[in-house]
Amino acid sequence: AILCLSMSICVFPFLFEEPLWNKWLAAYSTAASFRYSHYYVVLISESSTLLVGLGFVMKSSGDINWNGYRTIHPSNIEIPRSLGSVVTSWNLPMHHFLKNYVFKPSRLHVGRFGAVLITYIASAMLHGLNFQLAAVLLSIGIYAYIESVLRYKLSKHLNACIMDRSCSSSCQHKYKETVPWVAVINFFFTLLVMFHLAYLGVMFGGSEDDAIMEEGYSMMHTLKK
């Protein structure tokens, strides 16, 4: 947790400063700083839970698993397979809640794409009806949906394990993830997701004072970004 805090406030704000590098690296630095501050908060909460003796699961063998209250998977966010993996790994309890109580019921009435939009609108409302965050969340939702559909069709056409989620060991695809050209395609999508995260970081960048940043940027400011 302390390492994440140091990365957020000390390393990333100065690692890719815009005068020294181009604006895309500066945007990636801004987004990375935001992510690592989130990791810090989540890891502190998980540590506090463990310190009071909660969060363990007793296995049938008698062993104790202390990951019962796992809230985040940072590795799936920093080295993402897809935007979908970023979304699901960002906040595991909230992901399960939105999936079971918003996405699944909505999909029965409005289809998958409509359910995706409703789910991200619900997520934006839970974040406080801030246009800046709502724009980022809806952008992620649309990008993730397009990527999921595209990779599903590619996986069927090429008969390869290139879907947005890792295939199980018993999948019927002819070409597995260990095949070099399949690994290259998956790596390309990983780089594309990292680019999207940098692009979304542009909406958080700027030289405005702290008061404006705390309240959230206006619609016109976000659209200009």
Side-chain angles (χ1 to χ4, degrees), residues 83-84 86-87 116 120 134-146 196-197 200:
L83 268 177
V86 173
V87 171
V116 168
Y120 280 90
V136 170
L137 290 172
L138 288 175
S139 297
I140 291 176
I142 294 173
Y143 294 161
Y145 176 80
I146 294 174
H196 282 148
L197 293 178
L200 294 172

Side-chain angles (χ1 to χ4, degrees), residues 12-29:
F12 285 114
F14 304 102
L15 187 60
F16 297 122
E17 290 188 69
E18 191 166 341
L20 300 178
W21 300 84
N22 64 56
K23 64 178 182 179
W24 288 107
L25 289 177
Y28 177 82
S29 175

Side-chain angles (χ1 to χ4, degrees), residues 68-143:
Y69 280 179
R70 191 66 186 268
T71 309
I72 195 172
H73 290 301
S75 60
N76 293 342
I77 301 171
E78 295 303 312
I79 310 177
R81 179 181 176 88
S82 64
L83 268 177
S85 68
V86 173
V87 171
T88 57
S89 301
W90 182 258
N91 189 327
L92 297 177
M94 184 56 66
H95 162 68
H96 292 306
F97 172 80
L98 291 173
K99 178 181 179 181
N100 293 322
Y101 296 102
V102 180
F103 177 76
K104 288 183 177 180
S106 301
R107 186 174 56 180
L108 299 175
H109 302 284
V110 296
R112 186 183 176 194
F113 181 68
V116 168
L117 290 181
I118 291 175
T119 301
Y120 280 90
I121 290 173
S123 178
M125 294 177 66
L126 291 173
H127 279 83
L129 292 176
N130 178 284
F131 183 84
Q132 177 191 12
L133 282 173
V136 170
L137 290 172
L138 288 175
S139 297
I140 291 176
I142 294 173
Y143 294 161

